[in-house]
Amino acid sequence: MTVNEAVPRGEGAPFTPRPVKAGADDPVEVRMTVNGTPTALSLPARVTLADALRDHLGLTGTHVGCEHGVCGMCTVLVDGEAARACLLFAVQLDGADIVTVEGLGRPDALHPLQESFGRHHALQCGFCTPGFLMSSYDLLTNQPDVTEEELPEELSGVICRCTGYRNILTAVDETRRAHPGGVPAPGNCGRTALVGRAGQGTDATDGPDETENAASSGTQDIVLPGGDPTIAMRITTAIDLPEDRVWGVLDDIHLLARCLPGAELTDDYGHGHYAGRARVSVGPVKLTFNGVAQILEHDRAAGRLRAIAQGQDTGGAQTQADITLTTEATEAGTTMHADAKVYLTGRIAQFGRALAGDVSRRMFEQFADAVTEAAASGRAPSGPVKAPSALSLVFAPLLDRVKRLLRRGGRRRRGGREKEH
């Protein structure tokens, strides 16, 4: 199979294709910047850009419809220009800058086009939405003086003629009027984790050889995304034990790992590097993550332990976390704070922030309970600490309420006895 592969090019440099001969299944390395994140992939020459984005980088916002370049659902930006991702081989795009619909805006800071689509109910089933958003962005960026009458023809490259079509035109026209000089640039292009079902998406800045060598030794550095985490939380737990008893658990990494719900430590590489696996089950979705962890800070005197970790399951879901545990002595014992930033990509990200946040919060609460049990007994918790189930998530708020009521009742009874004395 012979394709023309573009060589890396600087600003203003002409596109210079070079022939690449490879078998249909022979891997060819390609490096691209996708939504601001440099990435390196090793792909068969027959893999299209659409499949590379969806299957190898987990960016499923790019929809594939006709696979003939007719429907426009797979429209993305390649070096700032709209292009059909189903008509391009990924190996043609070495050195290219790709922006997908995921890079257009963030959930908490949508792009004006996305806000307008929502405001005018221009979404309908949503299948054509990514194609329309990226085509509209390209149109309003390169031709901001387009008229309302010209919009149907200019946007005819994306096929959708359902009941949402008129609303789509209205949404694009409103954005055009609000931004006569051109729409704002994509607002979600920053370094983030990219990995899909094929388990690729290596950070291009590390270099493939260094990554492979480090992976074989189990001591590769964990590079967290630079953008905002999917979930950020702080769990505070009051433990009725002295601080040194709590640190008796935090000092023993193997004992500490036994307190993590659904997790087990499988290898100790030394120098604060570990390997392990964790299982998460939410209803019918069951994920098993194999990954690595690294202790960055372990300061008993300062009451601070910081670790980072990353794991990936066979379905391509990936999670990364930056966790800091801090303790402080109190009159009643110890207060432990767990600050966590969690980054999710792939199938697990489809849970939605609210559900993923509930699962993560419940897991940290179970972890804190297990640490308390281990600190009190000096032994690992009795039986494995299981990951939260769908049932426990449903009843967790009710159980928490009952616990609070029982604690309140206990304090009142103790207060009453003290007054009697």
Side-chain angles (χ1 to χ4, degrees):
M1 184 174 186
T2 301
V3 298
N4 290 328
E5 185 179 17
V7 297
R9 48 200 181 278
E11 185 176 356
F15 181 85
T16 308
R18 63 182 171 89
V20 174
K21 291 185 177 180
D25 294 319
D26 291 343
V28 179
E29 184 176 305
V30 57
R31 291 173 177 245
M32 302 180 288
T33 298
V34 181
N35 296 335
T37 300
T39 185
L41 297 166
S42 181
L43 302 170
R46 58 180 168 76
V47 174
T48 66
L49 174 59
D51 288 340
L53 292 172
R54 289 178 58 84
D55 295 339
H56 297 266
L57 297 178
L59 298 171
T60 54
T62 300
H63 292 172
V64 179
C66 66
E67 298 188 78
H68 289 81
V70 176
C71 71
M73 305 301 170
C74 63
T75 301
V76 298
L77 302 180
V78 177
D79 288 343
E81 300 288 338
R84 300 284 199 264
C86 74
L87 293 184
L88 293 168
F89 291 117
V91 297
Q92 290 179 284
L93 302 169
D94 196 38
D97 184 82
I98 312 295
V99 177
T100 70
V101 71
E102 288 91 344
L104 200 56
R106 303 188 317 182
D108 57 347
L110 295 175
H111 190 273
L113 271 168
Q114 294 170 308
E115 290 181 337
S116 186
F117 269 57
R119 195 160 45 244
H120 290 281
H121 307 289
L123 303 172
Q124 289 295 314
C125 76
F127 192 75
C128 72
T129 304
F132 263 116
L133 285 171
M134 301 312 289
S135 293
S136 301
Y137 175 85
D138 176 72
L139 174 64
L140 299 184
T141 300
N142 295 299
Q143 195 179 333
D145 56 348
V146 63
T147 66
E148 180 181 0
E149 292 72 24
E150 293 172 329
L151 285 179
E153 181 178 353
E154 295 293 341
L155 292 175
S156 61
V158 183
I159 295 175
C160 175
R161 300 297 181 265
C162 70
T163 53
Y165 178 65
R166 298 306 309 178
N167 294 355
I168 291 171
L169 295 180
T170 300
V172 176
D173 185 52
E174 181 194 78
T175 309
R176 176 188 67 86
R177 292 173 187 274
H179 301 277
V183 291
N188 193 29
C189 289
R191 186 176 171 130
T192 185
L194 293 173
V195 65
R197 290 193 291 271
Q200 290 199 20
T202 303
D203 191 322
T205 57
D206 290 335
D209 294 336
E210 292 179 8
T211 302
E212 289 173 6
N213 293 336
S216 63
S217 67
T219 59
Q220 71 264 36
D221 289 333
I222 299 169
V223 181
L224 298 176
D228 294 335
T230 310
I231 303 160
M233 69 180 73
R234 172 172 244 221
I235 306 290
T236 298
T237 306
I239 302 174
D240 298 331
L241 292 168
E243 193 176 15
D244 62 335
R245 295 279 297 276
V246 176
W247 273 93
V249 179
L250 304 186
D251 285 341
D252 186 339
I253 299 302
H254 293 267
L255 178 58
L256 186 64
R258 294 284 302 275
C259 298
L260 290 167
E264 61 179 314
L265 203 63
T266 57
D267 276 301
D268 182 346
Y269 299 115
H271 307 290
H273 290 78
Y274 303 90
R277 68 173 64 93
R279 296 179 177 84
V280 178
S281 175
V282 180
V285 180
K286 301 183 188 303
L287 303 171
T288 300
F289 292 93
N290 291 298
V292 292
Q294 183 180 359
I295 304 294
L296 296 181
E297 187 177 352
H298 189 153
D299 190 338
R300 182 174 184 148
R304 184 178 169 88
L305 174 67
R306 183 186 173 209
I308 57 176
Q310 67 182 23
Q312 180 176 313
D313 87 331
T314 55
Q318 177 167 295
T319 180
Q320 294 171 287
D322 183 348
I323 302 166
T324 301
L325 300 176
T326 54
T327 61
E328 53 184 311
T330 65
E331 292 183 0
T334 305
T335 297
M336 183 173 70
H337 305 285
D339 293 275
K341 298 176 183 176
V342 182
Y343 304 83
L344 303 174
T345 54
R347 190 161 52 130
I348 193 172
Q350 297 173 10
F351 286 174
R353 285 174 182 251
L355 180 57
D358 286 344
V359 173
S360 301
R361 180 172 293 279
R362 190 62 190 156
M363 290 179 73
F364 274 101
E365 289 171 350
Q366 288 180 277
F367 167 71
D369 290 343
V371 169
T372 303
E373 180 183 342
S377 66
R379 302 188 300 273
S382 52
V385 182
K386 294 182 179 178
S389 66
L391 195 62
S392 69
L393 290 172
V394 170
F395 287 102
L398 179 61
L399 291 173
D400 290 342
R401 185 176 176 81
V402 171
K403 287 179 181 176
R404 285 197 298 272
L405 289 173
L406 290 174
R407 280 199 294 269
R408 257 184 233 163
R411 282 198 294 270
R412 283 177 188 160
R413 284 194 296 274
R414 285 196 296 274
R417 285 197 295 270
E418 289 172 359
K419 285 179 181 177
E420 290 175 1
H421 292 299

